[in-house]
Amino acid sequence: MFNTLQDLKINAFAGAGKTSTLHFMAANTNRMGLYLAFNKSIVTDAIKKFPCNVHCRTIHALAMSTNAAIYNSMPGKLTNSMNGNAVTMILDLQHKINLTKEFSLTPRSQGFLVLETIKKFMHSSDLRPALNHIPLHGKLQLVPIEHMSDFFQQVVHWANILWDKMIDPNDPTLLGFEGILKFWALSNPILTYDFILLDEAQDSNPVILDVLAKQNCQIIYVGDKHQQLYEWRGAVNAMDKIATPNTSYLTCSFRFGTAIADVATRILWLLGERTVVQGNNEICSMVGPCNPKTVLCRTNAGAISEFVSAVQAKKRPFIIGGTVELKNYLQSVTALKNDMPSDHPELFGFSSWDEVVEFSETPEGGHLRTIVNIVKTHDENMLQKILENTPEYEDQADVVISTVHKAKGREWEYIRLANDYFTPRQTEDGFYNLNTAEVRLLYVAITRAKVGVELSESAFQYLQIPFDKVILDSNKEDNDSSCIKDCHNSSEVPVTV
């Protein structure tokens, strides 16, 4: 289908060799192509593999190279980024704004909200910041809309002023990597290639898809729509949104065996996927207790909890992606305890830690219970100090801890899922409720393993697998009836929901 010169969408399951497929395409044509990815390390690896007729770039590097000359007099304008305090000073925000009798926003919180609005705008295909770019972080989502109308109009006004300052080559207001990408997209660039290969297309946002839609060349979108984890930062999942003349699947994973593949298939059925994940018959895999070194968490709070458990067990934990995000989370807790506003999205709008504790006891605030319980038991300042003493390298650790977002693109022999993924909620008719974002997280987490996955009890319950069952490869002759039902030969839905 690549040789038809028509646009093509390739849905590739986890570990199915999508980048290798793109390399095969590029190696069998003399046409000039462009390989695009979001991650710099992926592009660095691609440069070593792809033939010379294909240029490999990150999307941000492409935008930077095109427009850097405009801002030559202020190079830091492109590489540095702002925080909420800077926005507060730039816009000269000085007064507290009362939205309700119980809820007000300080100038610093207003600056943070304007900055978050700009970020959402930069990921969109829109021409100017607008009302739909204002995020409802933290406590803000509880305020009745009638109390926010005038304030939101003011936020949009501030965001437009800030954006004009950001793109002005004579103004020192920082633009940053996301800003230069948006500025480049608004210039309607034409990419002079015969074809473009977009890797990890499920993580695309509208600003990138809009640029590609305006090109006069063949576009190949490759990704796994079920690994889309970045809705919170504007991704829209091109694998669902984009219509192409041709579509194909890569269903056989080279990473894991049939036991993990069959459980992955169970999860995908929950997302409406009816194509079966095929495992690698050359790999023996299992799902059950396997004492893994690597733990994958859904949330930062879950990662902190696993970190504490490891330290208490006198083990050395390593945090994938570093400790900055966890430290920022704990610093936000300290700020709220001192009655100072927090810039953390989950804690935005709360004026004190007591408010967070009270909110965590409601159904809407359930996602905050883990961090509240940790802080009740451990001093957050002490935890920050302990985070300073993590091993420098992964192979020096006794335990490797990661959120699923940080683990994306990685793989390990064995993994364990932390207990923060979800608590199944059974409805009156006996069915379970779970939002699709959480199901996708479960799919991505499980498919990071090559040999063994140790699920949490709630995951076993949700997938309707007995908690004490060890799932082995269904294609191995020496396995007994405890093996999972072979989904490859079944016309039945492999899990009842």
Side-chain angles (χ1 to χ4, degrees):
M1 285 183 278
F2 176 62
N3 292 330
T4 66
L5 308 186
Q6 294 179 318
D7 291 353
L8 170 65
K9 193 164 53 171
I10 303 176
N11 293 288
F13 289 150
K18 55 185 175 51
T19 306
S20 297
T21 301
L22 294 179
H23 174 261
F24 177 79
M25 289 178 174
N28 284 275
T29 182
N30 292 321
R31 294 185 294 145
M32 292 300 298
L34 173 66
Y35 170 88
L36 289 176
F38 300 90
N39 188 292
K40 185 177 180 180
S41 62
I42 292 176
V43 170
T44 300
D45 187 53
I47 290 172
K48 302 173 186 176
K49 297 178 179 179
F50 277 79
C52 60
N53 62 305
V54 176
H55 297 160
C56 302
R57 309 290 296 274
T58 65
I59 295 167
H60 288 86
L62 197 63
M64 183 74 76
S65 63
T66 306
N67 289 287
I70 299 174
Y71 301 97
N72 266 343
S73 60
M74 288 181 284
K77 186 178 175 78
L78 303 184
T79 55
N80 298 324
S81 56
M82 287 182 291
N83 57 31
N85 285 334
V87 174
T88 302
M89 291 186 288
I90 292 168
L91 297 176
D92 193 26
L93 306 177
Q94 300 181 13
H95 305 290
K96 182 184 291 187
I97 293 179
N98 297 314
L99 295 178
T100 67
K101 289 182 179 179
E102 299 81 20
F103 184 35
S104 61
L105 288 177
T106 64
R108 174 180 167 178
S109 293
Q110 297 163 35
F112 173 76
L113 188 61
V114 172
L115 182 59
E116 291 295 291
T117 301
I118 284 289
K119 288 180 181 178
K120 193 170 180 181
F121 157 69
M122 291 190 298
H123 293 147
S124 76
S125 59
D126 298 328
L127 301 179
R128 300 291 300 182
L131 286 171
N132 60 299
H133 302 134
I134 302 175
L136 296 179
H137 284 324
K139 193 176 178 181
L140 202 60
Q141 57 192 305
L142 301 179
V143 180
I145 190 66
E146 60 267 22
H147 293 281
M148 296 191 291
S149 179
D150 291 343
F151 171 64
F152 276 8
Q153 292 289 349
Q154 184 64 57
V155 170
V156 171
H157 174 67
W158 286 331
N160 276 277
I161 292 174
L162 184 63
W163 176 244
D164 287 339
K165 286 178 169 292
M166 290 169 66
I167 61 177
D168 185 346
N170 298 311
D171 191 296
T173 302
L174 301 175
L175 183 58
F177 288 111
E178 297 300 322
I180 194 63
L181 175 59
K182 178 64 176 178
F183 181 71
W184 172 72
L186 290 173
S187 71
N188 294 319
I190 298 299
L191 304 174
T192 55
Y193 293 92
D194 299 314
F195 63 91
I196 298 174
L197 309 171
L198 179 64
D199 207 347
E200 300 289 355
Q202 76 280 347
D203 293 331
S204 301
N205 54 42
V207 68
I208 295 164
L209 298 181
D210 188 57
V211 169
L212 294 182
K214 295 174 180 176
Q215 304 308 308
N216 295 315
C217 64
Q218 182 184 26
I219 311 290
I220 311 297
Y221 303 89
V222 183
D224 184 348
K225 65 180 180 180
H226 306 301
Q227 291 194 55
Q228 202 275 299
L229 303 182
Y230 297 105
E231 290 167 309
W232 54 274
R233 72 178 190 193
V236 294
N237 203 335
M239 305 310 291
D240 265 343
K241 299 291 183 183
I242 296 297
T244 57
N246 300 297
T247 301
S248 66
Y249 273 84
L250 297 175
T251 62
C252 182
S253 176
F254 299 97
R255 179 178 297 154
F256 43 74
T258 60
I260 296 175
D262 288 346
V263 174
T265 296
R266 281 179 176 252
I267 297 169
L268 294 188
W269 275 83
L270 303 177
L271 295 169
E273 179 62 68
R274 294 301 179 260
T275 304
V276 172
V277 181
Q278 306 283 339
N280 186 344
N281 290 332
E282 301 299 316
I283 298 177
C284 292
S285 65
M286 56 87 69
V287 178
C290 53
N291 194 30
K293 176 180 176 180
T294 302
V295 185
L296 300 187
C297 310
R298 182 174 68 89
T299 62
N300 280 322
I304 294 173
S305 179
E306 288 291 339
F307 178 86
V308 170
S309 297
V311 170
Q312 289 177 332
K314 301 190 183 306
K315 295 181 178 180
R316 300 186 70 207
F318 177 85
I319 308 293
I320 297 292
T323 60
V324 173
E325 287 188 20
L326 303 188
K327 289 177 183 175
N328 288 342
Y329 204 166
L330 294 170
Q331 287 167 3
S332 292
V333 172
T334 301
L336 285 168
K337 283 190 171 184
N338 293 319
D339 297 326
M340 296 173 60
S342 164
D343 286 348
H344 193 283
E346 289 185 24
L347 303 176
F348 178 75
F350 294 98
S351 59
S352 70
W353 180 246
D354 288 341
E355 280 192 5
V356 176
V357 174
E358 182 180 351
F359 180 60
S360 72
E361 296 170 355
T362 67
E364 297 86 358
H367 62 287
L368 292 172
R369 287 174 199 157
T370 299
I371 190 65
V372 166
N373 290 333
I374 292 170
V375 173
K376 280 182 180 178
T377 309
H378 307 279
D379 179 73
E380 68 277 5
N381 295 313
M382 178 270 291
L383 291 175
Q384 289 186 66
K385 291 180 181 177
I386 295 176
L387 283 170
E388 299 285 353
N389 297 318
T390 56
E392 186 175 357
Y393 301 104
E394 185 174 335
D395 58 5
Q396 296 174 336
D398 303 311
V399 180
V400 176
I401 301 169
S402 178
T403 61
V404 181
H405 291 86
K406 295 292 185 183
K408 201 159 174 226
R410 296 287 306 273
E411 59 183 33
W412 292 270
E413 296 288 317
Y414 299 90
I415 65 165
R416 172 172 67 83
L417 268 61
N419 290 319
D420 68 336
Y421 280 83
F422 52 80
T423 301
R425 297 176 288 279
Q426 196 161 12
T427 58
E428 293 180 359
D429 55 9
F431 289 80
Y432 286 118
N433 256 334
L434 193 68
N435 68 54
T436 56
E438 288 185 317
V439 179
R440 290 197 299 268
L441 279 168
L442 183 60
Y443 165 69
V444 172
I446 283 178
T447 55
R448 298 311 92 198
K450 296 193 288 184
V451 179
V453 179
E454 188 172 309
L455 297 180
S456 61
E457 183 172 358
S458 60
F460 269 107
Q461 181 183 353
Y462 187 74
L463 295 172
Q464 297 189 355
I465 304 169
F467 183 53
D468 59 353
K469 176 175 284 188
V470 176
I471 303 170
L472 305 173
D473 284 333
S474 57
N475 64 321
K476 300 294 186 289
E477 294 181 358
D478 56 347
N479 286 347
D480 58 25
S481 59
S482 69
C483 296
I484 191 172
K485 181 180 180 182
D486 187 2
C487 297
H488 303 267
N489 300 320
S490 173
S491 60
E492 301 290 324
V493 176
V495 61
T496 303
V497 293

